[in-house]
Amino acid sequence: MVDKTISRSVGTHDGTFHADEVTACALLLLFDLVDEDKIFRTRDPKELSKCEYVCDVGGIYDPSQKLFDHHQVEYQGPLSSAGMILLYLKEIKLIPSKEYDLLNKHMMIGVDAHDNGKDIVPPGVCTYSNIISSFTPVSHEATSEEQDANFHQALQFAKEHLNRLLERHRYIQSCKMIVANVMENKDDCLFFDKSIPWLEAFFELGGLNHPAKFLIMPAGDHWKLRGIPPSLEDRMNVRQPLPKDWAGLLDQDLKNASGIKGAVFCHKGRFVSVWETKEDAIKALEYTLETSKKEKSK
């Protein structure tokens, strides 16, 4: 290839765009390797040869040359250009392994599978790749200028989505020490003085073998008593449900059933309840544990 001459540039194909090259370009932007005004949408080999990075076009996968295409017969792997760029970021140590795993699990595997025609999506499910596709012009006769404008709209969405995923992950990790300290108490309930993301950190820190069945935590102006799932994968269930006679009740009905003046709401699934004060939530916990003991002794 001709020596690349445009620093911080990326070339990708023109025409209809897809989630993989949009996401590949978004990753390069997010990690400050390219400039948005240096994204060139073309299939002209001469123009592509001037770009520092080439994604989803060109017929070559060679990270050492910053070439990331997956359409050639020689490449038989599962990645699309999006997965290739994410792996490249990990290999050049711009993204830590945990953040790579996060984006790969929650996004990139699906993008790669979709672009390679291997995803099976149930009816009624709208994926990230579907949303990116919705940015393409409605008319099949759209001009190249319209395609380019819509590409950049999709690019902005993809970049913001990636950034939100990473920011949320980093926030969860920053709260990990708080969760670890609370977990040192091996009682039936975890007590938190402020609302934080706790679920992922709890199981990362050995929560599978922790005895806690519930947690109490602020919920806006109120407090919640929530059941803890048996595992991260089985997060829709709880180790111990709240009392049967609380299911679906709110306000006065829950006050009557629980005998607690600060009762607000109990979900019909019996996995979470809301109370006016921390003291009310503790009373609800005590009631729940006592009710469970009585039921087991019968």
Side-chain angles (χ1 to χ4, degrees), residues 47-275:
E47 293 301 314
L48 292 172
S49 70
K50 299 175 185 178
C51 296
E52 183 175 352
Y53 297 87
V54 177
C55 297
D56 209 41
V57 69
I60 300 173
Y61 176 39
D62 185 350
S64 67
Q65 296 188 64
K66 302 180 181 178
L67 303 175
F68 303 92
D69 196 15
H70 65 111
H71 294 101
Q72 60 278 14
V73 174
E74 292 81 5
Y75 179 72
Q76 294 296 318
L79 304 180
S80 69
S81 61
M84 289 176 172
I85 288 292
L86 183 63
L87 182 60
Y88 171 74
L89 294 174
K90 179 185 176 183
E91 289 175 341
I92 64 173
K93 302 188 184 308
L94 270 186
I95 185 169
S97 292
K98 279 193 174 182
E99 293 186 3
Y100 169 86
D101 291 341
L102 169 86
L103 293 182
N104 199 40
K105 178 181 178 182
H106 291 284
M107 187 173 174
M108 228 54 64
I109 290 175
V111 174
D112 292 342
H114 180 90
D115 201 74
N116 286 309
K118 294 182 179 180
D119 66 332
I120 301 174
V121 179
V125 174
C126 180
T127 68
Y128 164 84
S129 293
N130 296 146
I131 293 172
I132 294 297
S133 295
S134 75
F135 280 92
T136 60
V138 174
S139 173
H140 286 203
E141 297 178 345
T143 64
S144 58
E145 290 78 13
E146 290 172 322
Q147 288 278 11
D148 287 348
N150 286 33
F151 172 88
H152 284 276
Q153 289 178 12
L155 182 66
Q156 187 64 28
F157 173 85
K159 180 183 173 184
E160 290 175 354
H161 182 61
L162 285 161
N163 192 49
R164 282 192 296 270
L165 286 173
L166 289 172
E167 283 188 344
R168 192 174 302 278
H169 171 75
R170 290 163 186 165
Y171 174 56
I172 289 170
Q173 293 303 307
S174 73
C175 295
K176 200 169 179 179
M177 187 57 67
I178 298 173
V179 178
N181 291 336
V182 170
M183 288 176 67
E184 289 181 4
N185 185 337
K186 301 293 185 179
D187 290 340
D188 288 319
C189 187
L190 306 176
F191 291 91
F192 293 92
D193 291 325
K194 65 178 182 178
S195 180
I196 62 168
W198 61 275
L199 187 64
E200 291 86 352
F202 175 73
F203 285 106
E204 279 185 27
L205 294 166
L208 197 64
N209 299 312
H210 195 281
K213 301 180 183 69
F214 298 95
L215 70 84
I216 288 177
M217 176 184 288
D221 294 332
H222 297 128
W223 287 75
K224 67 181 176 183
L225 169 65
R226 192 209 192 283
I228 293 177
S231 68
L232 186 60
E233 294 72 26
D234 193 17
R235 65 178 68 192
M236 297 307 292
N237 291 311
V238 290
R239 295 174 176 181
Q240 181 179 324
L242 296 168
K244 289 181 181 179
D245 57 352
W246 291 3
L249 299 184
L250 54 93
D251 297 332
Q252 192 59 50
D253 289 335
L254 184 56
K255 288 177 174 44
N256 294 338
S258 65
I260 301 171
K261 292 182 179 180
V264 178
F265 167 74
C266 181
H267 194 281
K268 66 181 181 181
R270 299 161 58 203
F271 67 91
V272 67
S273 58
V274 178
W275 309 86

Side-chain angles (χ1 to χ4, degrees), residues 4 6 8-14 21 24-25 28 34-35 38-44 47-58 66-69 81 85 151:
K4 297 184 172 79
I6 307 176
R8 296 179 58 83
S9 64
V10 55
T12 189
H13 64 80
D14 55 8
E21 81 270 15
C25 292
L28 292 171
V34 301
D35 300 317
K38 294 178 183 176
I39 296 176
F40 301 100
R41 301 186 71 234
T42 179
R43 292 185 183 274
D44 184 340
E47 293 301 314
L48 292 172
S49 70
K50 299 175 185 178
C51 296
E52 183 175 352
Y53 297 87
V54 177
C55 297
D56 209 41
V57 69
K66 302 180 181 178
L67 303 175
F68 303 92
D69 196 15
S81 61
I85 288 292
F151 172 88

